[in-house]
Amino acid sequence: MTAGALPRARRFVGRGGILLTADVWGESSSPPLVLLHGGGQTRHAWGRTGPRLAALGWRVIAPDLRGHGTSEWSADGDYDLDLFAEDVRALVAEVGDRPVLVGASLGGLSSLLAAGEAPRAAIRALVLVDVAHRPDPRGVRRIVEFMRREPDGFAGVGEAAAAVSAHLPHRSRPDDPEGIRKNLRRHGDRWVWHWDPRMLDSFEGRMDPPGMAERLLDAARHADAPILLVRGGISDVVREDIAEEFCARVPYARRVDVAGAGHMVAGDRNEHFIDAVIPFLDGID
């Protein structure tokens, strides 16, 4: 398996029969590892991470979450966090063999609830990518404001790429803006983001609701698996004090920072992200 290997396509069934599209790398006999992207992203956020981890001996599964990419949308527009957690439980059950879960942002929150609340998903380990028990609301607000911009989409792919570069000034502009095409879909003569815009109402209500921080901490303490928190060194969503509090209150949780990375750690500094998680993965029983 080479680092540039193309993925295989697969479908999984989530809560309520919703169909989830996934990319799969690696041998079927290898231990499974599931990559769960953040809100507003697609499975292609892991396009460089998936083949690298497969080359290290993992069977890597990267699904589009419900309402994202080419997975189905919630028919009623409901995107409560518990629905995403139920989808993760269904994925874990279908994959089998106690997979490692690597969840960024929304994918991390969903994984944490799936692993730590009944019925607990049987997993081997959990990697939380720039997500903890509570966010800095200012960072979340900045992301939601970006997602709410340009509701009518873009005239072309280059225009969308320019909007992302303005939103992420710490990241080098891509040489080829066409790389963002997989995160877009055609809507008439415009290009719009490849997710259900009805999700935004749920995201705004999830900034830091009463009781959620304690619920997530309790889930982390009850997850029967080692936990690694990978924080972006310049993240405005998980501040350093938030990461410290999470690890202080969750026994056996470990933490590593990726210098120069913001909230989208793997997208900002993919090689450094992989280097940060390999020692943890190597230590899993």
Side-chain angles (χ1 to χ4, degrees):
M1 172 65 64
T2 63
L6 295 175
R8 306 181 300 279
R10 182 172 169 183
R11 286 288 192 108
F12 291 88
V13 180
R15 164 75 181 271
I18 198 164
L19 292 178
L20 306 174
T21 305
D23 284 341
V24 181
W25 296 267
E27 303 298 328
S28 59
S29 58
S30 298
L33 182 151
V34 181
L35 298 170
L36 297 146
H37 64 75
Q41 296 183 311
T42 70
R43 67 189 189 277
H44 302 296
W46 305 109
R48 290 179 294 161
T49 308
R52 276 292 314 280
L53 292 176
L56 294 173
W58 295 91
R59 172 165 50 101
V60 181
I61 302 103
D64 282 331
L65 301 179
R66 70 167 57 216
H68 294 76
T70 55
S71 287
E72 290 185 336
W73 293 7
S74 293
D76 57 2
D78 185 3
Y79 291 97
D80 185 80
L81 184 58
D82 287 309
L83 281 176
F84 288 104
E86 288 289 348
D87 288 342
V88 173
R89 290 187 180 98
L91 273 165
V92 168
E94 193 168 347
V95 168
D97 294 332
R98 295 176 61 236
V100 173
L101 300 184
V102 179
S105 198
L106 174 61
L109 293 175
S110 308
S111 299
L112 190 51
L113 292 183
E117 291 188 342
R120 295 203 296 270
I123 67 169
R124 193 172 310 228
L126 174 60
V127 179
L128 300 173
V129 185
D130 210 64
V131 66
H133 59 300
R134 60 186 177 90
D136 184 329
R138 294 169 297 182
V140 178
R141 192 173 297 112
R142 185 181 66 85
I143 294 170
V144 173
E145 286 173 354
F146 169 75
M147 294 174 71
R148 282 208 181 275
R149 289 188 203 124
E150 310 296 343
D152 296 324
F154 306 93
V157 174
E159 190 176 302
V164 172
S165 293
H167 176 61
L168 303 171
H170 61 280
R171 187 187 292 186
S172 299
R173 284 178 176 254
D175 295 330
D176 182 4
E178 285 296 309
I180 203 171
R181 186 183 294 271
K182 291 179 179 179
N183 292 323
L184 299 163
R185 59 185 174 84
R186 290 289 281 180
H187 185 66
D189 61 350
R190 306 285 287 177
W191 290 93
V192 297
W193 297 118
H194 218 322
W195 40 264
D196 185 347
R198 296 176 297 176
M199 284 189 301
L200 289 177
D201 292 335
S202 297
F203 288 176
E204 288 186 321
R206 202 176 294 146
M207 286 190 188
D208 195 9
M212 180 56 75
E214 288 302 322
R215 179 185 175 189
L216 290 168
L217 284 169
D218 192 57
R221 288 189 289 259
H222 284 89
D224 187 21
I227 297 176
L228 175 68
L229 169 57
V230 181
R231 175 181 170 270
I234 58 172
S235 172
D236 62 351
V237 174
V238 179
R239 299 190 313 264
E240 186 168 6
D241 62 305
I242 293 173
E244 288 177 353
E245 181 183 14
F246 179 84
C247 291
R249 299 186 62 183
V250 179
Y252 310 116
R254 295 164 51 188
R255 168 191 161 198
V256 62
D257 287 9
V258 176
H263 182 55
M264 290 185 281
V265 182
D268 287 351
R269 305 202 74 185
N270 189 66
E271 295 304 312
H272 296 272
F273 167 71
I274 292 173
D275 289 343
V277 301
I278 285 176
F280 176 76
L281 296 177
D282 287 345
I284 294 171
D285 184 6

